[in-house]
Amino acid sequence: MTATEVSDAHEGALDSAQGWLIVGLGICILTAIWGAVFTFTVYADRLAATFGLSALQVSSVFSITTAVFLMAGGLFGVFAARFPLRPVLAAIGIGLVVTTALLQIVESYLGVVAVFLLLGMAGGTAFTVVVSLAPQWFDVYRGLATSLTMTGIGLGPLVLPSVWLWLFDQTGFRSAFTVVVGVNAGLVFVSSLVYHRPPRDTQTATTVDAAWLRTRISNARFLGTAIGFALAFSWYYVLSAHLVDILTANGIQVSVAAAGLSLIGGISVFTRVGGGIVGDRVGQRETFVTSAALAGLCAFVFPFVHSNRLLYGVLFGFGIALGPLASLWSPIVLTRFGSDNATATVGLINVAVAGSAFFAPFVATALHRVTGGSVLPLVLLGAITVLGATLFYWGTTPASGNSA
């Protein structure tokens, strides 16, 4: 094809029915994957009972899974342009099938770690493909398409807790895991038949190589942004791992506690889109920092919750905060540091978040064991969230002149 024909094909593909199909599949995939990984708190006790794991071992499984989820997705994002999508998605589907098979035969802690490590690797790569592909198919409706795709992150914690509980009423943990992860695999295999990048218009992006990485990593503002976002979002990973345990320890019924994660996810579906609207009017950075401050405040209050009424207020606050935090960081980062090699830049941010996803739940568990309660871990978590928001705000301060 000539350059003109490629350009025409590219323009014709944008905002097309193909793009909306990709968005629809993306919502389904993110709902299934996020629901499988980040509703860990709902099935953590079943996992422990099935394999005879201690509380610290269970916490480490979640930490490893989320860290690998973000690290694999982040590293793939850095080199995404080098790979065709369809064979990658087919490989992800195979990886998920292998994950379900392995869980049926492992018996030890190390075996469980291997299973969830593979789940994190496959899920994280699928996450990066979905999140980075959808915006490429849109011009006029890019913001709407991206926001709709990201609602899957909220729908997962909204839908999957009740699915897990229903499955546990019917069967054991191994079979329930097979059903949930098997649905993930099926969705990924279907998407491998549909997903591809739109026709390329131009290839003006700088090559992602060692020099590009050194330039990006040596930028103090970028490092502040990456570390700040990782810290500002650490509360989410702690709640994903320990929400039910925290609430039941405070006298909240297990059924109500399990519904708490659904409440956070359900509210964030609406605030994810609403946060974009507010951000466009009052400023995306300001909206992000306000949301992080709200999450920090909720973390401070959380250990003192002993009634359902106060519980719903705090969970509602977490849900309001989650939407803008999850949807605004990407446009803020790309506005500050440029959209050239956007997938690679977002990938580096996710690599930083992997550290937070690994250490936050693990440290929270260790502090809980030392202090015998959740007050100190959650108060520190609130302070860390506010610190992260401050770093992120500083790191994304608009550059003067042409400096990066």
Side-chain angles (χ1 to χ4, degrees), residues 1-13 199-201:
M1 297 177 68
T2 66
T4 300
E5 290 173 331
V6 172
S7 180
D8 290 343
H10 176 80
E11 292 298 324
R200 298 288 186 179
D201 187 6

Side-chain angles (χ1 to χ4, degrees), residues 72-236:
L75 292 176
F76 178 76
V78 173
F79 302 103
R82 303 174 183 271
F83 299 94
L85 295 184
R86 288 180 174 175
V88 169
L89 284 164
I92 292 170
I94 293 171
L96 292 171
V97 171
V98 173
T99 299
T100 63
L102 282 178
L103 191 71
Q104 311 309 310
I105 61 176
V106 300
E107 296 292 345
S108 66
Y109 165 69
L110 291 179
V112 173
V113 169
V115 169
F116 278 84
L117 189 150
L118 182 57
L119 174 63
M121 187 178 302
T125 304
F127 169 75
T128 301
V129 171
V130 170
V131 171
S132 63
L133 179 63
Q136 297 180 44
W137 280 89
F138 293 88
D139 180 19
V140 176
Y141 299 108
R142 178 174 296 176
L144 176 61
T146 303
S147 296
L148 287 175
T149 302
M150 296 292 279
T151 58
I153 296 176
L155 289 171
L158 173 64
V159 175
L160 265 293
S162 59
V163 172
W164 282 117
L165 294 177
W166 181 83
L167 287 171
F168 292 150
D169 287 338
Q170 313 301 317
T171 185
F173 174 74
R174 294 180 196 259
S175 298
F177 183 88
T178 298
V179 171
V180 172
V181 178
V183 170
N184 275 273
L187 289 170
V188 170
F189 281 130
V190 171
S191 70
S192 70
L193 304 176
V194 178
Y195 270 30
H196 62 90
R197 298 183 181 91
R200 298 288 186 179
D201 187 6
T202 57
Q203 298 290 339
T204 58
T206 304
T207 302
V208 177
D209 53 15
W212 183 90
L213 289 173
R214 283 195 300 269
T215 300
R216 185 63 84 211
I217 295 173
S218 63
N219 186 324
R221 295 280 182 174
F222 182 80
L223 286 178
T225 299
I227 295 172
F229 180 67
L231 295 178
F233 216 69
S234 58
W235 64 270
Y236 181 78

Side-chain angles (χ1 to χ4, degrees), residues 14 20 32-33 43 56 110 118 135 147 163 168 243 262 307 318 324 352 364:
L14 297 182
W20 291 113
I33 288 178
Y43 59 82
L56 195 59
L110 291 179
L118 182 57
S147 296
V163 172
F168 292 150
L243 179 63
S262 296
S307 69
F318 276 127

Side-chain angles (χ1 to χ4, degrees), residues 119-389:
L119 174 63
M121 187 178 302
T125 304
F127 169 75
T128 301
V129 171
V130 170
V131 171
S132 63
L133 179 63
Q136 297 180 44
W137 280 89
F138 293 88
D139 180 19
V140 176
Y141 299 108
R142 178 174 296 176
L144 176 61
T146 303
S147 296
L148 287 175
T149 302
M150 296 292 279
T151 58
I153 296 176
L155 289 171
L158 173 64
V159 175
L160 265 293
S162 59
V163 172
W164 282 117
L165 294 177
W166 181 83
L167 287 171
F168 292 150
D169 287 338
Q170 313 301 317
T171 185
F173 174 74
R174 294 180 196 259
S175 298
F177 183 88
T178 298
V179 171
V180 172
V181 178
V183 170
N184 275 273
L187 289 170
V188 170
F189 281 130
V190 171
S191 70
S192 70
L193 304 176
V194 178
Y195 270 30
H196 62 90
R197 298 183 181 91
R200 298 288 186 179
D201 187 6
T202 57
Q203 298 290 339
T204 58
T206 304
T207 302
V208 177
D209 53 15
W212 183 90
L213 289 173
R214 283 195 300 269
T215 300
R216 185 63 84 211
I217 295 173
S218 63
N219 186 324
R221 295 280 182 174
F222 182 80
L223 286 178
T225 299
I227 295 172
F229 180 67
L231 295 178
F233 216 69
S234 58
W235 64 270
Y236 181 78
Y237 301 108
V238 172
L239 293 191
S240 296
H242 301 304
L243 179 63
V244 172
D245 289 340
I246 294 170
L247 293 178
T248 53
N250 284 2
I252 305 298
Q253 294 180 350
V254 174
S255 59
V256 176
L261 201 60
S262 296
L263 181 61
I264 294 174
I267 293 170
S268 75
V269 171
F270 298 99
T271 59
R272 205 174 299 271
V273 178
I277 297 174
V278 173
D280 288 340
R281 294 190 175 185
V282 305
Q284 292 180 341
R285 294 169 66 238
E286 289 74 12
T287 303
F288 180 95
V289 170
T290 301
S291 299
L294 175 60
L297 176 62
C298 290
F300 280 122
V301 174
F302 203 28
F304 307 104
V305 171
H306 298 286
S307 69
N308 287 350
R309 180 176 297 180
L310 182 57
L311 166 65
Y312 289 128
V314 173
L315 295 178
F316 192 82
F318 276 127
I320 292 175
L322 176 58
L325 289 179
S327 61
L328 290 181
W329 68 273
S330 179
I332 293 172
V333 169
L334 298 182
T335 297
R336 172 58 179 86
F337 299 102
S339 58
D340 186 24
N341 292 314
T343 305
T345 299
V346 169
L348 287 178
I349 297 290
N350 278 335
V351 170
V353 176
S356 175
F358 176 80
F359 286 109
F362 190 75
V363 171
T365 299
L367 286 175
H368 184 277
R369 293 185 64 183
V370 171
T371 63
S374 59
V375 175
L376 179 59
L378 288 173
V379 167
L380 287 177
L381 186 64
I384 288 172
T385 301
V386 174
L387 173 62

